[in-house]
Structure formats: structure tokens, C-alpha cells
Amino acid sequence: MNSDRAKWLALVAVPLMAGCVHDGAGTAPASTFGEANRQTMLAQVVEPDNAYENAVPPASAAKAGQATERYRKDTVKKPERVRSTSVSSGSGSSTGSGSNP
């Protein structure tokens, strides 16, 4: 009686286990592992073969020497202040002063 039960169990279990087998050959999508990294690197390269008219940027030895002397004497010129944002007054809750109350 035990052997009959085992046969029936095998007949039922074999088709169920066949559903667990996966043959990925030809059905799996192409691997995209690392694609985000490749796309980010490509986005950073604007023109890999860009030819500049002047490969060496213009420089002035006299100005570089003057800047070095000012640095040594601690009389460096303060850079011009450039604002990247604008503050406008309005009826909002922001005071525009840049400090937190």
C-alpha cells in the first residue's frame, strides 16, 4: 500500500517540480548591470575630440609674480562679491536677511 501512495505522490510531484525549472537561455533580457554608471560617464563627456584654438590658456608671468608677492605680504586683493541669488521683499514669511531667528 505504501508503494501505491509513493507512485501517486511522484506522479503529482513531478509536474509541479517541472514548473520550478527555469531555462534562461534565450529568454532572459540582456544584462543592464552597470548601465547607469556608463550613462553617467557618457553624460560627462561633452566632446571627446574637441580641438581648441589655443590649447594653452593665456597667462602673464608679471601678474603671477605680483599675486605671489601680495600673498607673501598678506595684502591679497579681496575678490569682487558676486551674488548668485537675489533677495526680494514680499509678503512671505522669509526676512531675506540670511539669518535664522
Side-chain angles (χ1 to χ4, degrees):
M1 191 82 173
N2 250 351
S3 65
D4 287 337
R5 181 178 267 177
K7 287 179 187 176
W8 281 105
L9 183 61
L11 285 173
V12 172
V14 169
L16 291 176
M17 290 177 65
C20 296
V21 176
H22 174 58
D23 181 21
T27 59
S31 174
T32 58
F33 185 77
E35 187 63 27
N37 190 29
R38 282 189 288 273
Q39 289 295 325
T40 302
M41 286 174 44
L42 286 173
Q44 293 177 12
V45 178
V46 177
E47 181 69 47
D49 296 325
N50 197 358
Y52 297 100
E53 291 178 20
N54 188 5
V56 180
S60 170
K63 287 185 179 182
Q66 292 168 0
T68 304
E69 282 301 314
R70 285 192 302 268
Y71 178 76
R72 287 181 182 156
K73 294 177 183 176
D74 199 25
T75 57
V76 179
K77 293 180 182 177
K78 290 193 176 188
E80 181 181 323
R81 184 174 183 144
V82 178
R83 298 193 67 133
S84 61
T85 59
S86 62
V87 178
S88 61
S89 61
S91 61
S93 61
S94 176
T95 60
S97 64
S99 63
N100 292 332

